Amino acid sequence: MRLSGSVLGIVLAWLLLAACSGEPAGPSGSDPFDGTVRIGATFSETGKFSVEGKDTRQGYDTWLTWVNEVYGGIRVEDQRYRAEIVYYDDESDADTAGRLTQRLLDDDRVDFLLGPYSSGLTTGTSAIAEANDVLMVEGSGGSDALFERGFRNLFYVATIASDYTRSGIEALAARGARTAVVAHEDTLFATAVAQGAVRHLEDNGIEVLAVDAYPEGIQDVSAIMTKSRDLDPDVFVGGGHYNDAVLFVSSAAEVGFEPGGMLITVGPSNPRLVEELGRDVDGVLGPTQWEPSMAYEGLYFGSAADYADYYESLWGEAPVYQAASATAAALALHLAIEAAGSTDTGAVRAALRALSADTFYGPISFDERGVNVSKPMGTIQVQDGEIVVVAPDAAATAVLQYPSSDGG
């Protein structure tokens, strides 16, 4: 494995830290670990979330490789524990995810859980975790409804769904947008995003001309895009997942819908969408939980850019925010175990509630619901094939183009 200069610097820093503390920096010769912390996760290797599922697993495995091989294991008082993650493919299906989560608890006897991708899958799996009094830390189930159930054992490191579009809408309003339409998949996450978007649009003086919900798994959104075209809004807001972004952008091009701005929840921040759709995605905006260019840093993994370098050294591709969210979820669990000095559920839960950490992913601290309330949501825009951060102003690396170069 070849390491970039910045990644090598992180490795050397940890080696120096371990040498100064007299503790092992990682596996060498005989096994230096005193035990194992066993973690379980389902992920979508197949099915409609397979793109995001791959990123999620690679994010978890980035932490796993780092914590065992670079950091030297999870510190539990004066001992170091090897981290292990047991995975199953949930096939992007909620029932399968629930069944496999129960298997992780009953058969694999995992100590903790990391979340699957999507709010729909997290709904059932987190209920199983709660019923079995097992902690689940996650970065991909952001529906507000998940955190209105009074659960004690679910913790979310990312920005909640209702605020996904906030910084983008504020930036569009500041540049003169006055009307909008909203279309969203009729699922927990996308509905929460859409409801939040409507609130943020109205709060910023943008009139909502229509809100359309469509069934999960839809393959043709041309009727929605034709209706949107005829309403002639300044802004189109689309809520769904990666496949929905493909449909929105492709269908808009087919029906000649060119709003001044398109803000789509999942997809625009992923380089795969640019590769798949080419010039059609230029000017499109999307929320992002994290980008390598953001000015976040912490003791673990270094800066956002350092993390990106380390991730790319492992996987041969740059990380998207879903991967970074997964790594941050695993890191939060790791930090709580160390703060607790124990793998006891109650002790680690208390440590998660007290956690306040600056990380490569941004600040992490949880409110009484288990939601990270410290990290703001960013917004990117595709400009000439490049994905750049345009909001909020403190994180921006480029000026938002509105109306977009291809828009109205």
Side-chain angles (χ1 to χ4, degrees):
M1 180 178 70
R2 295 183 63 188
L3 300 180
S4 70
S6 58
V7 174
L8 183 59
I10 298 171
V11 175
L12 292 174
W14 279 115
L15 289 172
L16 178 61
L17 178 63
C20 293
S21 63
E23 298 171 331
S28 62
S30 61
D31 188 347
F33 297 111
D34 300 295
T36 299
V37 174
R38 203 167 205 209
I39 302 167
T42 76
F43 78 108
S44 299
E45 184 176 17
T46 58
K48 69 175 184 175
F49 298 138
S50 60
V51 171
E52 299 96 330
K54 168 181 170 287
D55 295 323
T56 298
R57 176 166 184 172
Q58 289 182 181
Y60 288 149
D61 281 344
T62 297
W63 169 80
L64 186 67
T65 301
W66 173 84
V67 76
N68 287 331
E69 297 183 9
V70 179
Y71 183 71
I74 300 173
R75 296 190 185 106
V76 181
E77 294 187 330
D78 60 350
Q79 296 183 319
R80 286 190 179 255
Y81 282 44
R82 180 194 308 277
E84 176 187 354
I85 302 179
V86 181
Y87 289 110
Y88 291 115
D89 175 18
D90 57 39
E91 302 173 1
S92 305
D93 177 75
D95 290 339
T96 303
R99 175 174 53 82
L100 292 174
T101 297
Q102 196 67 59
R103 178 177 172 182
L104 286 165
L105 300 178
D106 294 342
D107 297 345
D108 298 295
R109 311 297 294 177
V110 299
D111 301 300
F112 305 100
L113 291 166
L114 295 170
Y117 179 79
S118 86
S119 293
L121 272 61
T122 304
T123 298
T125 56
S126 62
I128 291 169
E130 187 73 11
N132 288 270
D133 198 28
V134 174
L135 293 167
M136 174 182 283
V137 186
E138 53 104 2
S140 295
S143 170
D144 294 52
L146 288 170
F147 304 96
E148 296 168 354
R149 299 176 294 174
F151 283 8
R152 300 189 306 156
N153 294 319
L154 181 63
F155 292 84
Y156 179 59
V157 298
T159 304
I160 203 161
S162 58
D163 282 337
Y164 257 56
T165 61
R166 181 174 179 175
S167 66
I169 287 171
E170 289 174 347
L172 288 164
R175 287 158 179 79
R178 291 295 175 262
T179 59
V181 297
V182 178
H184 67 94
E185 185 182 51
D186 190 12
T187 57
L188 277 174
F189 167 75
T191 300
V193 170
Q195 291 172 343
V198 169
R199 184 174 74 252
H200 296 311
L201 288 164
E202 292 174 343
D203 287 348
N204 285 275
I206 299 176
E207 180 184 1
V208 179
L209 303 178
V211 178
D212 288 306
Y214 57 86
E216 183 177 8
I218 196 171
Q219 297 299 314
D220 183 357
V221 296
S222 57
I224 292 172
M225 302 312 278
T226 299
K227 175 184 174 181
S228 298
R229 179 199 65 195
D230 294 344
L231 288 171
D232 193 27
D234 295 331
V235 175
F236 171 83
V237 179
H241 295 279
Y242 181 89
N243 292 337
D244 302 78
V246 174
L247 292 173
F248 286 140
V249 175
S250 300
S251 185
E254 289 170 2
V255 305
F257 177 37
E258 298 182 348
M262 291 188 73
L263 176 59
I264 302 174
T265 54
V266 177
S269 64
N270 193 324
R272 296 182 187 89
L273 190 69
V274 180
E275 294 170 5
E276 187 170 350
L277 300 180
R279 294 290 300 179
D280 285 343
V281 79
D282 248 21
V284 174
L285 296 151
T288 182
Q289 294 282 4
W290 174 91
E291 294 295 325
S293 61
M294 290 180 168
Y296 294 140
E297 63 181 328
L299 179 60
Y300 308 92
F301 291 101
S303 67
D306 290 334
Y307 168 81
D309 286 344
Y310 181 67
Y311 181 98
E312 190 163 358
S313 77
L314 297 177
W315 309 109
E317 62 184 13
V320 295
Y321 79 71
Q322 288 88 350
S325 297
T327 302
L331 178 61
L333 176 59
H334 162 198
L335 296 179
I337 294 170
E338 291 198 340
S342 168
T343 58
D344 173 74
T345 295
V348 178
R349 182 194 300 118
L352 281 166
R353 295 211 176 278
L355 182 65
S356 179
D358 291 322
T359 75
F360 77 95
Y361 183 70
I364 298 177
S365 64
F366 301 106
D367 67 6
E368 67 281 357
R369 299 170 298 167
V371 174
N372 182 9
V373 291
S374 297
K375 187 185 76 65
M377 194 77 173
T379 300
I380 60 89
Q381 185 174 43
V382 181
Q383 297 182 0
D384 296 324
E386 298 294 322
I387 297 170
V388 295
V389 179
V390 294
D393 288 343
T397 60
V399 176
L400 187 152
Q401 295 176 358
Y402 176 83
S404 65
S405 57
D406 296 326

